[in-house]
């Protein structure tokens, strides 16, 4: 059994587009033939509610699960779906100090940081950068990328 690839959507800031990107990424990958689970780690449960609002004749394309707790607890909670999915997209809460975000950072293979190209959004990535550096010393595999939500037109 191969472990699924874990992709975490992370931002220190609310409104950066984490849930929107997570939903689009999970659905897009599922529609491309990947077996996908969307893990909602945010206490607001926006991703879970969004997926549940899909009409019965066109349900959300990925399985939705709730993940909470430490990295060890999340690993245990992922076991039942691990052999059923290729990819788990993790929608994290808007805080780098939240335990769910910290656990996702410890577990993920890829981290995506959605940002709007504005000073406040870019400044908010500095804390995540420090966390990434500290985690890469322990576990060099994870990769992180900034994902601009829009481009400035000059």
């Amino acid at each position: 059994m191969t472990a699924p690839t874990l992709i975490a959507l992370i931002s220190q800031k609310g409104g950066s587009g984490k849930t929107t990107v997570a939903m689009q990424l999970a659905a897009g990958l599922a529609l491309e033939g990947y077996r996908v689970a969307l893990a909602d780690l945010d206490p607001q449960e926006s991703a879970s509610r969004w997926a549940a609002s899909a009409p019965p004749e066109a349900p959300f394309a990925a399985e939705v699960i709730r993940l909470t707790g430490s990295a060890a607890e999340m690993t245990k909670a992922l076991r039942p779906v691990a052999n059923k999915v290729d990819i788990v997209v993790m929608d994290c809460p808007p805080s780098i100090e939240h335990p769910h975000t910290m656990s996702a950072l410890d577990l993920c293979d890829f981290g995506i940081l959605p940002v709007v190209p504005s000073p406040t959004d870019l400044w908010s990535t500095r804390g995540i950068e420090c966390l990434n550096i500290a985690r890469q010393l322990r576990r060099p595999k994870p990769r992180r990328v900034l994902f601009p939500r829009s481009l400035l037109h000059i």
Side-chain angles (χ1 to χ4, degrees), residues 94-116:
S95 167
I96 58 172
E97 291 90 11
H98 195 286
H100 298 164
T101 303
M102 301 297 278
S103 296
L105 278 169
D106 284 340
L107 294 174
C108 73
D109 299 297
F110 297 96
I112 299 176
L113 290 74
V115 295
V116 176

Side-chain angles (χ1 to χ4, degrees), residues 9 38 46 61 70 73 77 82 88 141:
L9 280 290
L38 173 69
S46 298
S70 67
E73 291 167 325
V88 177
K141 182 184 172 193

Side-chain angles (χ1 to χ4, degrees), residues 115-144:
V115 295
V116 176
S118 71
T120 56
D121 283 82
L122 294 173
W123 292 331
S124 75
T125 64
R126 288 186 180 234
I128 294 171
E129 180 182 9
C130 293
L131 285 173
N132 285 336
I133 291 168
R135 280 171 167 66
Q136 285 177 343
L137 294 174
R138 291 192 321 247
R139 187 174 168 246
K141 182 184 172 193
R143 291 161 177 77
R144 314 293 197 259

Side-chain angles (χ1 to χ4, degrees), residues 31-127:
L31 293 172
E32 285 296 315
Y34 292 95
R35 299 172 307 156
V36 181
L38 173 69
D40 193 347
L41 283 68
D42 191 341
Q44 295 177 16
E45 299 183 353
S46 298
S48 296
R49 284 192 231 137
W50 189 347
S53 72
E57 64 276 5
F60 185 65
E63 179 177 353
V64 180
I65 58 175
R66 287 279 303 143
L67 285 182
T68 60
S70 67
E73 291 167 325
M74 286 186 187
T75 299
K76 185 178 179 182
L78 284 169
R79 282 189 195 128
V81 297
N83 63 348
K84 298 190 306 186
V85 299
D86 305 307
I87 299 168
V88 177
V89 177
M90 306 166 87
D91 183 33
C92 295
S95 167
I96 58 172
E97 291 90 11
H98 195 286
H100 298 164
T101 303
M102 301 297 278
S103 296
L105 278 169
D106 284 340
L107 294 174
C108 73
D109 299 297
F110 297 96
I112 299 176
L113 290 74
V115 295
V116 176
S118 71
T120 56
D121 283 82
L122 294 173
W123 292 331
S124 75
T125 64
R126 288 186 180 234

